[in-house]
Amino acid sequence: MSTENEGTAVPADHPAASSTPSTPQTPPTPQTPPTPPTTTPVPEATPTQAPAPAPAPAPEPTAAMPTPAAAGAGWPPPPPTVPAWGAPVPPAPPAPAAPRRRAGGLVAAVLVAALVAGGIGGGIGYWAAQRGDEGVSSTTVSSGEAPASFKREPGTVAAVAAKALPSVVTIQAKSGGSQGEGGTGTGFVYDQEGHIVTNNHVVASAAEGGTLSVTFPDGKSYDAEVVGRAEGYDVAVLKLTNAPKGLKPLPLGDSEKVAVGDSTIAIGAPFGLSNTVTTGIISAKDRPVASGDGSGGSNSYMSALQTDASINPGNSGGPLLDASGAVIGINSAIQSTGSGFGQTQAGSIGLGFAIPVNQAKNVAQQLIRTGKPVYPVIGATVNMQEQGEGATIASQGSGGTPSVTPDGPAAKAGLKAGDVITGFGDHQIDSGPSLISEIWTHKPGDQVKITYERDGKTSTATVTLGERTGDS
């Protein structure tokens, strides 16, 4: 309810408030012009009573003007000698005492302005009504007059979403335990054979004796089973047990060519709301992200694409698309205000992270071929807690083993315990997680230049990456 002028009384009746001029029943008889009454000016600061308009005097008779005897000769008659609205001239009210100057003057001025605006609107409305009687047609366009075949241009969000949505699925995972715990996530069609790519953490609860169902936007659901999953990459591949014909895989883009500022479209089921589309941009690249608690063997590491598209729990495993509709990443983690990286029940704050599709594609192909992930390694254990100074090779490995694997890639490159790795290829390294994230963007056998510091001296070496199969 608007309270714009609440408490300010407006007069109910005004001498000049008649909205319809009176229509004479018979032609009026010319009258002798009356002597205009003497009026007293009303102060301008009083909004409740305006001076009455002076009557228009009758014109002087001329030889061509009809006489009273000719009053019935026809219409129109001579101009009336009363005001245009047809009402008698009211007596002028006595002049009120000059108002005291106070803050209330501003309220009066606002009220006057409102009344003036209303008067203008009423005058225009009356004029428009009169013009409408003369046959002026309305220019209002109804929805029925809109183009019959409205089409959204290719490249618009609506067009990209309409094309991609049929290939994005909602995944229901249920564990095999007595409690039947599980959750909801997202995935997308990878090929026509019925493979679905998603995050490992979406299906982990159902991987051992649980059940998985996949629902398409048309409402049809299918049972699915895990083909393979990679904890470290946070990637998993499912297979529909009775895949329907006509599946349309989403096209895969090139995450290496993505630039900061590129438009992004995320599709998923945030908080179980399937087929939700959000938009944003690539706000950063090569973000080192550990999607667990930052320690432990079950964490996943990625050199992520950062986006401000709204991503929430349930978006996990869904595609991050570019403006052409190609997949450039798999939505995997969010920055939470309360608990660091990871998929929690906190909402989006505009910091979402996606696994680059080039890496996800390599992992998916490996899982489809063998069912197990293959990780590139340098053969050295690094400190995962320190940040800001690089990745320091630990003094010893887990269980008291050597921190640098004998005859491994790092050992062959000349690295030793205590060395601080500050660069890997073209990327700066500031911590253990950032080093692992960069290593896992490569393949076993790749040769990469490493920059490291030893005893305050900076050196470089070339390492040929080894490999490790499985998550154990």
Side-chain angles (χ1 to χ4, degrees):
M1 177 181 69
S2 172
T3 59
E4 189 175 44
N5 290 317
E6 188 173 348
T8 304
V10 180
D13 296 312
H14 193 288
S18 176
S19 61
T20 307
S22 61
T23 303
Q25 299 300 319
T26 59
T29 303
Q31 302 175 9
T32 302
T35 301
T38 302
T39 61
T40 302
V42 179
E44 292 181 0
T46 304
T48 58
Q49 179 65 53
E60 292 293 330
T62 62
M65 182 175 294
T67 62
W75 187 269
T81 59
V82 294
W85 293 106
V89 179
R100 291 182 299 170
R101 293 184 176 272
R102 59 179 185 175
L106 177 59
V107 177
V110 172
L111 179 59
V112 169
L115 292 174
V116 169
I120 293 174
I124 293 176
Y126 178 77
W127 175 85
Q130 292 295 95
R131 296 286 293 173
D133 290 343
E134 297 175 9
V136 178
S137 61
S138 171
T139 58
T140 302
V141 178
S142 67
S143 60
E145 299 174 31
S149 57
F150 176 72
K151 294 183 179 180
R152 291 171 176 82
E153 296 296 328
T156 62
V157 174
V160 171
K163 187 175 181 179
L165 274 168
S167 300
V168 180
V169 300
T170 300
I171 300 172
Q172 293 285 347
K174 187 175 181 180
S175 69
S178 58
Q179 299 298 324
E181 297 179 354
T184 301
T186 309
F188 62 91
V189 177
Y190 181 75
D191 57 27
Q192 293 182 331
E193 285 69 42
H195 288 108
I196 304 294
V197 172
T198 185
N199 282 144
N200 171 67
H201 73 260
V202 169
V203 301
S205 63
E208 302 296 336
T211 60
L212 290 167
S213 65
V214 172
T215 303
F216 284 79
D218 61 5
K220 295 181 179 179
S221 295
Y222 302 88
D223 292 334
E225 59 185 10
V226 176
V227 171
R229 58 195 187 97
E231 284 186 354
Y233 293 121
D234 197 16
V235 173
V237 176
L238 311 182
K239 178 72 180 296
L240 302 179
T241 54
N242 292 293
K245 295 181 179 180
L247 291 175
K248 295 182 179 180
L250 287 182
L252 305 182
D254 186 350
S255 51
E256 288 296 324
K257 295 181 179 179
V258 171
V260 173
D262 282 350
S263 297
T264 58
I265 301 172
I267 304 179
F271 297 102
L273 301 174
S274 302
N275 312 318
T276 296
V277 178
T278 56
T279 64
I281 62 169
I282 292 293
S283 48
K285 294 178 61 177
D286 304 319
R287 288 293 197 210
V289 174
S291 66
D293 58 8
S295 63
S298 62
N299 292 331
S300 61
Y301 299 93
M302 67 188 90
S303 183
L305 298 174
Q306 179 180 310
T307 180
D308 65 350
S310 181
I311 296 175
N312 290 286
N315 276 106
S316 293
L320 184 68
L321 309 175
D322 62 16
S324 71
V327 180
I328 55 175
I330 300 177
N331 300 318
S332 182
I334 61 173
Q335 175 68 55
S336 170
T337 56
S339 56
F341 291 109
Q343 285 284 12
T344 70
Q345 291 303 306
S348 171
I349 59 172
L351 292 173
F353 303 94
I355 303 167
V357 72
N358 290 14
Q359 176 180 338
K361 178 182 177 180
N362 293 335
V363 177
Q365 290 175 341
Q366 183 68 37
L367 292 176
I368 291 173
R369 285 197 305 266
T370 68
K372 295 182 179 179
V374 175
Y375 298 94
V377 297
I378 63 170
T381 301
V382 297
N383 190 316
M384 300 297 288
Q385 305 302 322
E386 298 177 357
Q387 293 189 3
E389 300 296 332
T392 303
I393 298 179
S395 58
Q396 63 180 13
S398 60
T401 60
S403 59
V404 177
T405 304
D407 203 30
K412 292 180 178 179
L415 297 176
K416 299 179 179 180
D419 289 348
V420 181
I421 299 174
T422 58
F424 191 84
D426 297 330
H427 298 279
Q428 184 176 350
I429 301 301
D430 61 3
S431 64
S434 67
L435 175 61
I436 295 177
S437 298
E438 286 302 323
I439 291 174
W440 287 357
T441 63
H442 292 75
K443 296 179 181 180
D446 287 351
Q447 293 186 335
V448 185
K449 178 182 177 181
I450 289 182
T451 302
Y452 65 96
E453 293 181 358
R454 179 187 297 167
D455 299 328
K457 182 180 179 181
T458 301
S459 303
T460 61
T462 299
V463 61
T464 301
L465 299 178
E467 68 176 59
R468 171 173 63 88
T469 300
D471 285 309
S472 59

